[in-house]
Amino acid sequence: MRIEGVPKLTKYLLIGSTKAYSGKSAIALGMALGLRAKGLAVAYGKPLGTCFSSEGAAIEEEDVRFAVETLKLSESQMPSTLLYLDEETVHKRLRGEDKTDYRQSLAQYLQAPSGDLVLLEGPANLEEGSLFDLSLAQVAEAVDASVLLVARPIDLYIDDLLSAKQRLGSRLLGVVLNDVPSDKLESVTATVRPFLEAAGIPVLGMLPRSALLRSVSVKELVHQLKADVLCRRDRLDLMVETLTIGAMNVSSALKYFRKARNMAVVTGGDRTDIQLAALESSTQCLILTGHLPPSPLVIGRAEEMEIPVLSVDLDTLTTVEIIDSTFGSVRLHEPIKVECVTQLMAEHFDLDGMMASLGLSDRVH
């Protein structure tokens, strides 16, 4: 049931996904910038924060803060997150200690935004938030929002989208297929897209895989690894696209180093030969394990090449696992990524078609 009191003139679009880390934030930000370029007034909200890490709310707030700064939103265009979903919040609800009617809270939350379109970023999948009546479908119904789903072409994504269509019905405006690998682009274009559209799921965009968007900053690696920065702290904004482990002999390592681009090289602190070889390749940072001090020769060369050297008190396997996890949950916190996603959206997303479906075409200034 639609909640009362939501402004009639403002349109609402809910950006959702069937799986976590599909790229909702990037798509929402790229879309907002594209709409703003056409003269539309856009507000942005994230009713439900869904980070379950020990830093949950802090991570969510950082995401929201970055969106505010990038879009230069006023306070009225960026209402605060209604609820942070963490373990304690869930247990309070289960124990009956939290009896809040979040549908009513959502009504109050949506009084603040004004403009042509309010973009709402949804939870990680269609189920999350159900305990609080704040699932994707429940929020969409409550504020009378259309839904745009973002999906990566992995696993059973077509089944997921068909299931989502059954649950969302006419509210499903369409889907963006994000992070499409180059070797899948032809089959997705020729086979998957027509199938989805025949099933009543318009494909409004197909964004090719971007190494830059999947990259992480050296600063983020320092944070995740709790690393010591041994040199070039001024270069922590460098972006890492690939991970290479220097655990072999130098000649074998060089073969790998020459093939990779914008690497983070993980190797033992005592492997001076590997470290020097990495510094002569496309390396964005050296990560030395075992908390062993490197040779002054390595530090001197790294200073010259402007490559940060990090030291971690971890073994190689643990270091690699943490970095892999970081790559798997990339966040959009760098201006260079915003430029990249804006360009991809301009080239591969049907913004005019989406505006027409939402009835916004006549509002272009």
Side-chain angles (χ1 to χ4, degrees), residues 123-247:
N125 53 49
L126 269 66
E127 291 75 30
E128 212 164 56
S130 298
L131 179 62
F132 302 89
D133 298 322
L134 291 174
S135 71
L136 190 77
Q138 288 169 317
V139 172
E141 182 186 359
V143 303
D144 195 20
S146 298
V147 176
L148 179 72
L149 287 178
V150 181
R152 294 172 60 209
I154 56 172
D155 303 329
L156 301 174
Y157 76 103
I158 296 172
D159 290 318
D160 291 339
L161 291 174
L162 291 172
S163 176
K165 173 62 178 175
Q166 289 178 342
R167 294 165 71 171
L168 296 169
S170 60
R171 290 201 182 280
L172 182 56
L173 189 75
V175 62
V176 178
L177 299 180
N178 187 33
D179 192 33
V180 182
S182 55
D183 60 347
K184 285 188 176 181
L185 199 54
E186 187 177 342
S187 66
V188 170
T189 303
T191 307
V192 176
R193 182 172 196 155
F195 174 84
L196 290 174
E197 293 186 336
I201 306 172
V203 178
L204 294 177
M206 288 173 45
L207 275 58
R209 173 164 291 179
S210 162
L212 177 58
L213 286 183
R214 292 166 62 86
S215 66
V216 298
S217 67
V218 177
K219 181 181 179 181
E220 182 65 17
L221 292 180
V222 170
H223 173 68
Q224 295 295 338
L225 294 167
K226 298 178 174 58
D228 294 327
V229 182
L230 303 184
C231 73
R232 300 314 306 225
R233 186 174 286 277
D234 60 319
R235 298 289 282 157
L236 300 185
D237 59 340
L238 291 173
M239 303 303 297
V240 174
E241 296 177 8
T242 56
L243 171 64
T244 303
I245 304 167

Side-chain angles (χ1 to χ4, degrees), residues 9 20 29 39 78 107 128 164 212 272 291 318 324 353:
L9 294 177
L29 204 49
M78 189 74 191
E128 212 164 56
L212 177 58
T272 301
H291 221 265
T318 304
D324 277 341

Side-chain angles (χ1 to χ4, degrees), residues 4-190:
E4 296 302 317
V6 175
K8 305 290 186 189
L9 294 177
T10 300
K11 304 278 187 179
Y12 290 84
L13 178 63
L14 194 53
I15 313 293
S17 58
T18 56
K19 282 187 172 64
Y21 305 116
S22 296
K24 292 191 307 295
S25 298
I27 299 298
L29 204 49
M31 187 187 303
L33 290 167
L35 291 166
R36 286 264 295 275
K38 289 180 176 289
L40 271 68
V42 179
Y44 174 88
K46 192 170 187 178
L48 186 66
T50 54
C51 281
F52 275 88
S53 75
S54 58
E55 303 171 72
I59 293 173
E60 290 287 342
E61 286 164 4
E62 193 176 339
D63 287 351
V64 170
R65 187 164 56 248
F66 183 77
V68 170
E69 292 170 358
T70 303
L71 297 172
K72 298 180 173 60
L73 298 176
S74 66
E75 216 170 287
S76 66
Q77 294 172 308
M78 189 74 191
S80 58
T81 297
L82 182 66
L83 175 72
Y84 288 107
L85 201 58
D86 57 29
E87 195 172 346
E88 181 56 27
T89 303
V90 169
H91 284 165
K92 281 183 179 178
R93 190 74 163 184
L94 293 175
R95 291 191 297 262
E97 297 169 15
D98 176 11
K99 300 183 187 300
T100 306
D101 180 356
Y102 286 100
R103 302 266 290 195
Q104 192 54 43
S105 299
L106 188 62
Q108 297 163 6
Y109 170 85
L110 291 173
Q111 293 306 307
S114 60
D116 299 302
L117 181 69
V118 178
L119 286 175
L120 297 177
E121 187 176 336
N125 53 49
L126 269 66
E127 291 75 30
E128 212 164 56
S130 298
L131 179 62
F132 302 89
D133 298 322
L134 291 174
S135 71
L136 190 77
Q138 288 169 317
V139 172
E141 182 186 359
V143 303
D144 195 20
S146 298
V147 176
L148 179 72
L149 287 178
V150 181
R152 294 172 60 209
I154 56 172
D155 303 329
L156 301 174
Y157 76 103
I158 296 172
D159 290 318
D160 291 339
L161 291 174
L162 291 172
S163 176
K165 173 62 178 175
Q166 289 178 342
R167 294 165 71 171
L168 296 169
S170 60
R171 290 201 182 280
L172 182 56
L173 189 75
V175 62
V176 178
L177 299 180
N178 187 33
D179 192 33
V180 182
S182 55
D183 60 347
K184 285 188 176 181
L185 199 54
E186 187 177 342
S187 66
V188 170
T189 303

Side-chain angles (χ1 to χ4, degrees), residues 242-283:
T242 56
L243 171 64
T244 303
I245 304 167
M248 65 291 283
N249 61 51
V250 178
S251 59
S252 297
L254 281 170
K255 291 177 185 177
Y256 285 103
F257 293 166
R258 286 169 184 153
K259 292 176 185 175
R261 183 173 176 270
N262 295 336
M263 303 178 288
V265 176
V266 177
T267 190
D270 56 348
R271 291 300 305 271
T272 301
D273 51 349
I274 296 287
Q275 294 159 24
L276 290 172
L279 292 173
E280 305 304 322
S281 307
S282 180
T283 298

Side-chain angles (χ1 to χ4, degrees), residues 218 221-233 236 265-270 275 285-295 298-299 302 307-316 319 322-323:
V218 177
L221 292 180
V222 170
H223 173 68
Q224 295 295 338
L225 294 167
K226 298 178 174 58
D228 294 327
V229 182
L230 303 184
C231 73
R232 300 314 306 225
R233 186 174 286 277
L236 300 185
V265 176
V266 177
T267 190
D270 56 348
Q275 294 159 24
C285 72
L286 269 180
I287 301 172
L288 311 183
T289 60
H291 221 265
L292 297 169
S295 160
V298 169
I299 295 297
I307 297 172
V309 177
L310 317 181
S311 176
V312 296
D313 193 13
L314 302 165
D315 59 62
T316 298
T319 302
I322 292 172
I323 296 172

